[in-house]
């Protein structure tokens, strides 16, 4: 399937749906790893919106990327409950160990901040790919990163 | 042998899947017949993964389990992780579990389990009563919005019921973004049919045929469980073209957020649902009259809707017997952060803050002295030991310049840096502000800068910060900018020395 076909298929899937833009953007990101700017106009046309409206929605939400992330996304919770259990120090140690900062991609790995995973009673919390980590330590996350990127 | 291993995200994050796999392989090696049920969590998160085994009709707990603890479960004798009968553990025994009655007991997606445990009885009663009397029952219960605003649910429903429109909606706010909160997630993963039933009752009551559950994208497990539950409930003829084959149509759809905290604010959520930027709307018009897609809409939190089936089965008056003052019924409290016994504790309104932190929560996890507890998420105030007499109810916390909010309680020990936490509150607001109103959009950024000046020892900065907080509180369009000053000002009030030490040093 060409790229255009993939987008056309996504748009067809959501034809006639109420408030379809977010579901479409989620599907586009799942297919392409990001929401490429090339997609704005076709999406706008399908939903009878302006290109600017689509661009405005994409830029509003933290989830939507303009470039694909690394193959392995590590989300680290920065919120209060995780801070109370040493989350800030954990993030700093992990940054040093991996030689990268939150918000950066290095090789296959992207480090990202997240604001609450709902794991506040087993803080600090993180997510490595699809895997949730409670009572997280830098060692455990490093080991998981090594495991998934091996 | 029947064994339960929770499938809740918190249990999984602590290794429940590995424990379940170890159980299956240990049983296989020994040739024992075991049935492993993946239940929801009981909410005693510090004990997760919490395995349960039935003996003589009583479920016994073992936890926190690790895969290497598994073989001993089959060997008889005392197990080092044995906790005794699960429902006799004090943290559990002291609760009043109405909304969470089933959570942890059942397989979340088993319709048979749900039906056997009072499932769909509330919907059946609502079908008998009809819309007006169903609303009456909810009004009698005194149920108020559990998302944090505390608006009476019955009044909201009545407004929507009275609005004339060709289409109405029920929107469930499952954008649980507050740090320290996980009750919505726990219920969606542990008892999704309860939420579906509550929404169906709401639809029936107000004349809405379509419901949306707006779930944050950070909750992939909850999204999967809800989608599976909706599909099963539809296939069983409970929702869909006709509620239980005898009522009006009502169908449900899960919508996934995209990482914006502000979408937990109801008007921002509605914009997001419509496919727009999650900008806050000015009220009026009320969502009850012009909500989703401009149509009359009930927007309720997960916990408000999930409280409804119990209310319909047992009666609004029975629900109202629990609670304190104008805060009726039970509140699922989430104790989190640096606390020994973190988890979900459902109880009638009125328990004191001190009891909650020290007795129920068991003090700090680190064993260091308690310093402060933030109540109600990132927009909630910090409270110190002086507030330990404060009863958990909407009015008492509001009177103290705080809020109960979604009832997340985040405990900090004496190592907490209150200036850093105050700065974080402003930083979070700056990151998550929708940008519509100036006090929030600009104020949060100025707040960070001003707190940095405080940290650098600028003596004029504190007064400026108070003025800024005043502007944000009074001038913001919604709770995001309006309540961000709560943690900031309460931190200054409780720990003034942490905001002036650097000043004195500079002088």
């Amino acid at each position: 399937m060409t790229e255009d076909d993939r987008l056309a298929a996504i748009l067809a899937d959501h034809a006639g749906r109420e408030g379809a833009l977010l579901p479409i953007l989620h599907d586009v990101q799942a297919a392409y790893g990001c929401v490429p700017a090339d997609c704005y106009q076709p999406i706008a046309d399908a939903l009878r919106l302006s290109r600017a409206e689509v661009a405005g929605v994409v830029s509003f939400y933290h989830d939507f990327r303009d470039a694909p992330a690394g193959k392995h996304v590590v989300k680290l919770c920065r919120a209060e409950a995780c801070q109370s259990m040493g989350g800030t120090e954990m993030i700093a140690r992990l940054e040093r160990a991996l030689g990268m900062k939150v918000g950066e991609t290095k090789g296959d790995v992207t480090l990202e901040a997240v604001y609450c995973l709902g794991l506040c009673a087993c803080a600090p919390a993180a997510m490595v790919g699809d895997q949730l980590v409670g009572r997280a330590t830098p060692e455990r996350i490093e080991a998981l990163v090594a495991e998934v990127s091996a | 042998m029947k064994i339960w291993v929770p499938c809740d995200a918190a249990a999984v994050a602590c290794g429940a899947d590995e424990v379940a796999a170890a159980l299956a392989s240990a049983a296989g090696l020994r040739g024992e017949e075991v049935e492993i049920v993946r239940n929801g969590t009981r909410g005693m998160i510090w004990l997760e993964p919490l395995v349960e085994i039935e003996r003589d009709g009583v479920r016994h707990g073992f936890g926190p389990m690790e895969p290497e603890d598994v073989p001993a479960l089959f060997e008889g004798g005392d197990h080092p992780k044995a906790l005794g009968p699960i429902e006799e553990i004090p943290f559990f025994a002291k609760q009043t579990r109405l909304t969470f009655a089933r959570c942890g007991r059942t397989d979340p997606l088993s319709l048979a389990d749900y039906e056997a445990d009072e499932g769909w009885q509330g919907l059946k009663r609502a079908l008998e009563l009809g819309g007006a009397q169903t609303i009456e029952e909810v009004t009698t219960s005194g149920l108020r919005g559990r998302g944090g605003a505390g608006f009476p649910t019955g009044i909201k429903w009545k407004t929507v019921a009275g609005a004339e429109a060709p289409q109405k909606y029920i929107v469930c706010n499952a954008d649980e973004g507050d740090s320290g909160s996980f009750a919505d997630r726990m219920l969606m993963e542990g008892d999704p049919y309860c939420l579906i039933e509550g929404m169906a009752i709401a639809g029936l009551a107000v004349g809405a045929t379509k419901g949306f559950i707006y779930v944050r994208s950070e909750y992939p497990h909850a999204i999967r469980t809800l989608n599976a539950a909706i599909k099963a409930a539809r296939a069983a003829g409970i929702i869909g073209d006709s509620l239980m084959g005898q009522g009006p149509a009502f169908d449900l759809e899960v919508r996934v957020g995209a990482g914006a905290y502000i979408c937990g604010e109801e008007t921002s959520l509605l914009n997001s649902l419509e496919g727009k930027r999650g900008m806050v709307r000015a009220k009026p018009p009320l969502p009850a009259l012009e909500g989703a897609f401009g149509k009359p809409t009930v927007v309720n939190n997960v916990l408000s809707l999930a409280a409804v089936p119990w209310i319909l089965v047992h009666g609004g008056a029975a629900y109202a017997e629990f609670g304190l003052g104008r805060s009726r019924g039970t509140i699922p409290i989430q104790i989190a952060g640096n606390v020994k016994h973190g988890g979900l504790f459902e109880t009638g309104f009125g328990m004191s803050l001190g009891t909650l932190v020290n007795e129920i929560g068991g003090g700090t996890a680190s064993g260091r002295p308690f310093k402060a507890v933030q109540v109600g998420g990132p927009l909630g105030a910090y409270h110190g030991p002086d507030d330990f007499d404060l009863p958990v109810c909407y009015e008492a916390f509001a009177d103290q310049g705080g809020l109960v909010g979604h009832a997340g309680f985040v405990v900090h020990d004496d190592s907490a840096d209150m200036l850093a936490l105050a700065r974080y509150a402003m930083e979070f607001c700056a990151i998550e502000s929708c940008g519509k109103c100036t006090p929030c959009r600009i104020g949060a950024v100025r707040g960070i800068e001003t707190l940095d000046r405080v940290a650098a020892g600028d003596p004029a900065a504190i007064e400026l910060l108070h003025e800024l907080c005043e502007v944000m509180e009074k001038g913001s369009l919604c709770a995001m900018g309006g309540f961000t000053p709560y943690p900031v000002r309460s931190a200054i009030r409780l720990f003034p020395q942490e905001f002036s030490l650097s000043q004195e040093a500079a002088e």
Side-chain angles (χ1 to χ4, degrees):
Chain A
M1 218 188 264
T2 70
E3 299 232 324
D4 281 343
D5 286 344
R6 276 199 291 174
L7 181 59
I10 291 169
L11 293 173
D13 272 352
H14 296 283
R17 194 173 182 187
E18 302 163 290
L21 184 51
L22 256 67
I24 287 173
L25 294 175
H26 277 302
D27 283 359
V28 167
Q29 181 147 302
Y32 297 93
C34 66
V35 182
D38 295 353
C39 294
Y40 295 175
Q41 192 63 55
I43 294 172
D45 292 343
L47 298 180
R48 303 169 65 107
L49 297 170
S50 71
R51 186 182 182 283
E53 282 171 305
V54 175
V57 170
V58 173
S59 69
F60 183 87
Y61 295 95
H62 300 306
D63 279 3
F64 300 129
R65 308 172 189 280
D66 49 17
K71 213 159 122 198
H72 309 291
V73 178
V74 180
K75 294 183 178 179
L76 304 163
C77 181
R78 280 196 64 204
E80 292 91 337
C82 288
Q83 289 182 43
S84 78
M85 288 300 282
T88 309
E89 296 75 25
M90 187 196 80
I91 292 172
R93 275 178 58 194
L94 191 67
E95 285 181 330
R96 280 197 299 277
L98 296 174
M100 61 194 295
K101 293 275 181 200
V102 167
E104 290 177 358
T105 299
K106 188 176 151 190
D108 272 354
V109 178
T110 296
L111 275 194
E112 263 179 11
V114 64
Y115 296 88
C116 200
L117 293 164
L119 305 175
C120 319
C122 51
M127 201 169 175
V128 180
D130 291 332
Q131 192 171 349
L132 293 170
V133 190
R135 301 171 194 144
T137 59
E139 293 77 22
R140 169 116 172 85
I141 295 177
E142 257 190 280
L144 277 172
V145 172
E147 207 176 286
V148 293
S149 50
Chain B
M1 188 155 65
K2 199 168 178 182
I3 305 180
W4 288 265
V5 186
C7 61
D8 180 271
V12 170
C14 295
D17 287 349
E18 290 77 2
V19 170
L23 274 165
S25 85
L29 278 175
R30 304 174 62 95
E32 292 222 26
E33 283 278 323
V34 297
E35 182 193 356
I36 298 174
V37 179
R38 300 303 300 266
N39 55 334
T41 177
R42 298 276 188 164
M44 294 180 277
I45 306 298
W46 83 98
L47 295 174
E48 293 291 356
L50 175 47
V51 168
E52 292 176 44
I53 298 176
E54 195 170 73
R55 284 183 187 151
D56 306 322
V58 177
R59 283 161 70 164
H60 290 253
F62 301 84
M65 288 290 285
E66 287 177 46
E68 49 270 33
D69 298 322
V70 165
L73 285 176
F74 297 96
E75 280 155 17
D78 290 340
H79 191 281
K81 299 282 176 79
L83 299 162
I86 194 104
E87 299 193 353
E88 290 175 19
I89 297 173
F91 187 96
F92 193 88
K94 285 178 185 167
Q95 298 186 46
T96 304
R97 307 258 289 202
L98 308 185
T99 303
F100 282 84
R102 262 177 308 261
C103 192
R105 280 219 301 250
T106 54
D107 171 352
L109 287 173
S110 162
L111 280 164
D113 277 13
Y114 190 69
E115 275 175 37
D117 211 341
E118 228 173 65
W120 313 121
Q121 295 302 317
L123 179 55
K124 280 186 190 146
R125 174 110 197 285
L127 284 163
E128 287 160 21
L129 289 177
Q133 263 188 285
T134 296
I135 295 174
E136 201 50 47
E137 205 67 83
V138 173
T139 306
T140 305
S141 76
L143 178 67
R144 291 165 65 186
R146 295 284 184 261
F151 189 82
T153 306
I155 294 178
K156 191 181 277 185
W157 288 19
K158 202 169 181 181
T159 309
V160 177
E164 290 288 333
Q167 176 72 56
K168 299 178 191 176
Y169 296 101
I170 307 297
V171 172
C172 171
N173 184 345
D175 195 52
E176 181 179 55
D178 289 355
S179 176
S181 290
F182 47 85
D184 294 353
R185 182 186 61 64
M186 202 177 124
L187 188 110
M188 292 187 286
E189 292 175 6
D191 197 12
Y193 296 126
C194 179
L195 176 60
I196 291 173
E197 184 175 356
M199 291 185 73
I201 294 169
L204 179 75
V206 306
T209 53
K210 174 91 198 245
F212 292 99
I213 308 174
Y214 184 97
V215 191
R216 61 201 298 259
S217 61
E218 291 86 344
Y219 283 179
H221 293 72
I223 293 164
R224 275 200 296 276
T225 305
L226 283 173
N227 276 321
I230 289 169
K231 203 171 154 196
R234 199 183 287 136
I238 289 156
I239 57 169
D241 293 338
S242 162
L243 285 171
M244 307 197 87
Q246 47 173 303
F250 185 76
D251 213 338
L252 279 169
E253 190 183 331
V254 172
R255 285 293 173 98
V256 180
Y261 174 78
I262 193 61
C263 291
E265 196 285 331
E266 63 174 357
T267 61
S268 160
L269 185 153
L270 291 171
N271 274 336
S272 184
L273 185 67
E274 292 177 13
K276 299 173 185 156
R277 290 163 69 88
M279 307 287 278
V280 172
R281 298 176 184 170
K283 290 190 265 191
L286 291 174
L289 299 174
E290 281 180 47
F293 308 100
K295 300 293 191 296
T297 303
V298 168
V299 186
N300 275 153
N301 175 254
V302 174
L303 302 180
S304 314
L305 290 160
V308 168
W310 194 95
I311 290 168
L312 265 292
V313 176
H314 300 269
Y319 189 78
E321 275 174 27
F322 300 98
L324 177 73
R326 286 172 47 225
S327 301
R328 306 313 312 170
T330 60
I331 175 89
I333 290 171
Q334 301 123 84
I335 316 171
N338 197 327
V339 69
K340 205 165 154 199
H341 298 158
L344 181 125
F345 188 90
E346 182 176 354
T347 182
F349 282 97
M351 176 174 275
S352 79
L353 181 61
T355 306
L356 194 62
V357 170
N358 291 322
E359 203 173 298
I360 306 299
T364 63
S366 61
R368 298 176 63 101
F370 165 88
K371 184 166 189 176
V373 54
Q374 187 179 23
V375 181
L379 310 176
Y382 287 97
H383 299 268
D386 286 351
D387 283 344
F388 273 179
D389 289 339
L390 215 56
V392 176
C393 74
Y394 296 119
E395 285 72 28
F397 272 75
D399 289 347
Q400 287 294 313
L403 48 108
V404 171
H406 192 46
F409 288 65
V410 175
V411 177
H412 291 267
D413 71 12
D414 68 345
S415 67
D417 176 343
M418 300 313 290
L419 179 60
L421 284 165
R423 188 187 190 279
Y424 172 83
M426 286 292 186
E427 191 190 350
F428 184 70
C429 183
I431 295 169
E432 299 297 337
S433 173
C434 83
K436 180 152 177 165
C437 73
T438 317
C440 177
R441 184 183 69 243
I442 308 285
V445 178
R446 295 290 170 261
I448 300 170
E449 294 165 2
T450 313
L451 278 158
D452 285 344
R453 281 170 58 185
V454 172
D458 180 344
I462 277 279
E463 201 190 323
L464 193 63
L465 185 64
H466 278 298
E467 273 180 38
L468 176 68
C469 285
E470 197 77 16
V471 171
M472 289 177 73
E473 276 184 46
K474 298 214 167 108
S476 297
L477 196 53
C478 81
M480 179 95 229
F483 291 168
T484 288
Y486 281 26
V488 177
R489 296 181 106 173
S490 58
I492 298 173
R493 194 170 58 239
L494 285 175
F495 305 98
Q497 68 284 4
E498 295 191 33
F499 293 81
S500 61
L501 266 182
S502 41
Q503 265 180 52
E504 285 158 16
E507 286 159 8

